[in-house]
Amino acid sequence: MEEYDLTEAQKNAFEDNQAEFRKFGDQLRDVREAARARLTDSGWEPAPESEDAIRCLSCPCPDFQGGGPEGKCKRGSCRHFLIDHDLPQ
């Protein structure tokens, strides 16, 4: 791993950033779990096209396609951000 000559303030800033991203990750995991449960409870059972499919939790998009503007799905019927999709854990 590459070493960087960081000041104490920079080290603290990176540690704070990491903690915030970890907290956000926990919140996002909870939102995704609730979204999955809500769809399942409503009777939504998408056909398993592929185990590797990254389905959207905000619309019936069957799989995320990268390359859209600002990190959004390239599918014209979706256009949601990657974060809206059911990413593997």
Side-chain angles (χ1 to χ4, degrees):
M1 183 172 186
E2 190 172 342
E3 290 291 321
Y4 297 97
D5 189 23
L6 301 174
T7 67
E8 204 54 41
Q10 291 166 337
K11 289 177 188 177
N12 290 336
F14 278 116
E15 288 173 10
D16 290 346
N17 289 349
Q18 186 178 18
E20 288 293 315
F21 280 114
R22 193 174 311 116
K23 185 168 59 172
F24 174 70
D26 292 343
Q27 292 170 342
L28 183 57
R29 185 190 66 245
D30 292 346
V31 168
R32 283 197 179 119
E33 286 175 7
R36 279 187 223 103
R38 194 175 299 114
L39 291 172
T40 300
D41 291 347
S42 74
W44 178 254
E45 301 265 346
E49 296 175 19
S50 166
E51 289 184 18
D52 297 330
I54 303 175
R55 290 177 175 72
C56 188
L57 297 171
S58 293
C59 76
C61 173
D63 191 24
F64 181 81
Q65 285 186 350
E70 300 175 7
K72 293 181 181 178
C73 183
K74 193 168 136 178
R75 287 182 187 272
S77 61
C78 181
R79 300 283 192 216
H80 291 108
F81 289 100
L82 177 61
I83 203 167
D84 289 46
H85 291 73
D86 199 7
L87 297 171
Q89 295 182 14

